[in-house]
């Protein structure tokens, strides 16, 4: 069996998605998610100019060798563009291998470690009461775990909060970056009130999560973690930028609130010190941005040695291809923690038919050979790419801050 051709499909059914399709000379094909939100065309160029020409004629079953060929052979290692391109190839090759074997992907990885995959949903509101109403809606839908984000008095627009009640939060809605304004003191004074209100209304059994989105300094994050301990959060996510991994050591000294990080990571090395020093509790990297299944298996195995569990990023700017592969990975990985779930729009699901399903706060993995997600290229062609950018953040005095 040889790789006969490979090509990218760029489509925007609700959001921009980049899909890599690899076709063998025996007619078996696999697809991988190559979406890098806000930098989609950079990955397309990397794939089309540098990766795809090097794949033609290779044996698609030599997944390990091809992964190292693309990683070590590029010389310029890691980085989000390179690792997203590698991940797309890797995901597609695992899809092919599982189809040839006649197995769902989780069986090829080693079989089930669990019968279902717990997910968390997103509840947002312009104020605390509106957020609580959204939490109630999620609980009614069967969610056992909910991420809560509410507006802060004095801050006009805040990460994670939808523009209107009942809508999903979608940050990439402009060709050029929107500019938001941030005030740390206002946020720190307000956030604990949200968690107190959630616990008062929903009790102690609901798993409650919160995303700080890199906004704080280590000592500010330590203060927040300590102040919210009475509300027993499932995790506090991305409380500081993680370029300085030792920042989490300082936070850990001051709080027992579980810490999660990693949605912007693209390699094991981004998390190595965090894991080995047990400064975090959950690793949030994604299959699409962190080198695919081959690399994430190594990251998860390292994490498992230090009691760190997986909590994969799962926004709507990653396609159902990534989500489908992640559910297979989640079903297998021994140190699973939780899976993020932002439901895709109906039009997205039309372009990406799949066999996974949501039921009572969990995902149930499909049994189709491969990762169980396909792409309808005819439908995809109806939704052309449109440039979209993530926002940027500034402090009230105009200083550029972490978004």
């Amino acid at each position: 069996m040889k790789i006969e051709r490979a090509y990218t499909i760029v489509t925007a059914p609700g959001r921009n998605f980049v899909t890599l399709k690899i076709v063998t000379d025996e007619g078996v094909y696999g697809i991988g998610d190559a979406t890098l939100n806000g930098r989609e065309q950079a990955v397309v160029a990397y794939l089309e100019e540098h990766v795809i020409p090097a794949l033609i004629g290779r044996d698609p079953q030599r997944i390990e060798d091809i992964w190292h060929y693309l990683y070590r052979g590029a010389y310029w290692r890691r980085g989000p563009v390179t690792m997203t391109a590698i991940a797309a190839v890797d995901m597609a090759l695992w899809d092919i291998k599982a189809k040839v074997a006649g197995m769902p992907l989780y069986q090829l990885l080693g079989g089930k470690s669990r019968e279902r995959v717990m997910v968390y949903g997103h509840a947002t509101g312009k104020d605390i009461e509106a957020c609580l109403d959204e939490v109630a809606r999620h609980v009614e839908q069967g969610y056992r775990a909910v991420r809560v984000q509410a507006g802060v008095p004095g801050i006009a627009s805040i990460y994670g909060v939808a523009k209107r009640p009942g809508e999903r939060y979608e940050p990439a809605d402009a060709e050029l970056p929107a500019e938001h304004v941030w005030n740390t003191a206002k946020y720190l004074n307000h956030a604990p009130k949200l968690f107190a209100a959630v616990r008062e209304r929903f009790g102690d059994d609901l798993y409650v999560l919160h995303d700080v989105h890199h906004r704080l300094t280590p000592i500010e994050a330590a203060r927040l973690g300590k102040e919210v301990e009475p509300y027993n959060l499932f995790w506090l996510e991305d409380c500081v930028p993680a370029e300085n991994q030792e920042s989490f050591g300082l936070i850990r000294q001051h709080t027992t609130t579980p810490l999660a990080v990693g949605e912007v990571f693209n390699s094991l090395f981004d998390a190595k010190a965090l894991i080995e020093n047990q400064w975090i509790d959950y690793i949030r990297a994604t299959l699409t941005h962190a080198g695919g299944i081959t690399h994430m298996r190594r990251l998860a195995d390292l994490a498992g040695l230090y009691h760190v569990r997986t909590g994969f990023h799962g926004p709507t700017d990653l396609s159902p291809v990534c989500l489908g592969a992640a559910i297979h990975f989640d079903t297998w990985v021994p140190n699973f923690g939780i899976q993020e779930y932002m439901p895709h729009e109906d039009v997205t699901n039309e372009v990406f038919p799949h066999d996974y399903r949501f039921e009572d706060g969990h995902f149930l993995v499909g049994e189709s050979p491969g990762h169980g997600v396909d792409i309808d290229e005819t439908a995809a062609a109806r939704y052309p790419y449109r440039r979209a950018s993530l926002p940027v953040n500034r402090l009230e005095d105009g200083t550029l801050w972490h978004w």
Side-chain angles (χ1 to χ4, degrees):
M1 181 183 291
K2 301 294 183 183
I3 296 174
E4 186 173 74
R5 63 193 179 104
Y7 56 96
T8 59
I9 304 161
V10 184
T11 182
R15 299 291 289 269
N16 288 321
F17 300 110
V18 179
T19 305
L20 175 68
K21 188 168 188 176
I22 297 177
V23 184
T24 73
D25 58 358
E26 296 183 11
V28 182
Y29 68 85
I31 60 173
D33 185 14
T35 308
L36 183 60
N37 187 11
R39 297 293 183 268
E40 298 89 353
Q41 295 290 9
V43 183
V44 172
Y46 192 97
L47 284 166
E48 293 182 348
E49 185 68 21
H50 306 291
V51 174
I52 290 174
L55 293 176
I56 307 306
R58 295 186 180 274
D59 181 351
Q61 299 189 87
R62 296 185 62 175
I63 298 175
E64 192 73 34
D65 182 70
I66 290 174
W67 194 95
H68 287 282
Y69 177 83
L70 296 175
Y71 181 80
R72 295 181 182 179
Y75 186 69
W76 306 107
R77 299 180 183 182
R78 306 200 301 274
V81 173
T82 295
M83 296 303 281
T84 299
I86 292 174
V89 174
D90 189 75
M91 208 178 297
L93 295 181
W94 277 100
D95 193 23
I96 289 171
K97 184 176 279 288
K99 286 175 178 175
V100 170
M103 295 180 179
L105 176 58
Y106 75 82
Q107 291 285 22
L108 206 61
L109 294 173
K112 289 184 176 180
S113 293
R114 60 199 48 81
E115 295 302 319
R116 54 185 185 167
V117 171
M118 186 171 72
V119 306
Y120 70 89
H122 290 196
T124 83
K126 64 180 180 60
D127 54 30
I128 291 176
E129 282 304 312
C131 182
L132 295 181
D133 290 343
E134 281 297 299
V135 174
R137 186 172 67 85
H138 280 75
V139 171
E140 290 169 3
Q141 293 174 351
Y143 286 89
R144 316 287 178 83
V146 181
R147 191 189 85 167
V148 297
Q149 310 287 144
V152 175
I155 302 179
S157 178
I158 191 166
Y159 168 80
V161 176
K163 295 178 180 178
R164 286 169 286 275
E167 288 187 349
R168 71 183 73 207
Y169 173 70
E170 296 285 8
D173 58 1
E175 277 201 25
L176 297 177
E179 296 200 6
H180 297 171
V181 176
W182 176 252
N183 183 298
T184 298
K186 292 175 181 176
Y187 165 78
L188 285 174
N189 289 333
H190 188 71
K193 300 174 185 176
L194 169 62
F195 309 128
V198 172
R199 286 295 177 218
E200 182 177 357
R201 181 164 168 180
F202 297 97
D204 295 327
D205 291 337
L206 181 69
Y207 295 120
V208 177
L209 304 85
H210 181 70
D211 186 0
V212 183
H213 221 249
H214 320 283
R215 304 298 169 86
L216 304 179
T217 66
I219 201 65
E220 290 167 347
R223 167 191 159 183
L224 179 62
K226 190 171 184 177
E227 289 184 355
V228 303
E229 284 177 8
Y231 311 118
N232 190 28
L233 268 60
F234 186 92
W235 77 34
L236 197 62
E237 176 188 342
D238 288 347
C239 47
V240 296
E243 288 91 342
N244 179 6
Q245 296 185 35
E246 292 183 353
S247 295
F248 282 81
L250 188 151
I251 301 165
R252 186 66 109 192
Q253 292 175 22
H254 293 277
T255 180
T256 58
T257 297
L259 303 174
V261 72
E263 69 181 52
V264 299
F265 289 178
N266 52 71
S267 86
L268 184 155
F269 300 101
D270 294 323
K272 185 173 182 291
L274 292 168
I275 291 169
E276 291 178 341
N277 289 289
Q278 300 180 71
W279 290 334
I280 61 171
D281 303 278
Y282 296 90
I283 182 65
R284 298 256 302 128
T286 72
L287 297 179
T288 293
H289 297 151
I293 293 163
T294 296
H295 192 60
M296 282 300 298
R297 290 181 77 178
R298 293 191 171 91
L299 198 159
D301 284 343
L302 175 66
L305 296 176
Y306 296 94
H307 311 288
V308 175
R309 291 184 283 178
T310 64
F312 286 176
H313 188 44
T316 50
D317 53 46
L318 292 170
S319 86
V321 180
C322 178
L323 181 57
I327 293 167
H328 281 268
F329 195 102
D330 295 336
T331 300
W332 157 75
V333 68
N335 51 318
F336 171 76
I338 200 167
Q339 170 68 51
E340 181 178 17
Y341 177 42
M342 289 181 70
H344 289 103
E345 297 181 28
D346 290 342
V347 68
T348 305
N349 292 325
E350 172 196 351
V351 171
F352 296 96
H354 53 265
D355 67 354
Y356 59 78
R357 67 186 191 276
F358 174 79
E359 183 179 294
D360 192 29
H362 295 77
F363 272 128
L364 300 179
V365 72
E367 295 295 330
S368 304
H371 55 49
V373 185
D374 207 342
I375 184 168
D376 183 333
E377 295 186 53
T378 301
R382 294 199 292 266
Y383 305 99
Y385 166 81
R386 48 187 175 79
R387 185 170 63 214
S389 301
L390 295 173
V392 298
N393 230 18
R394 293 187 183 274
L395 301 181
E396 290 177 331
D397 66 1
T399 302
L400 197 70
W401 198 241
H402 311 286
W403 183 80

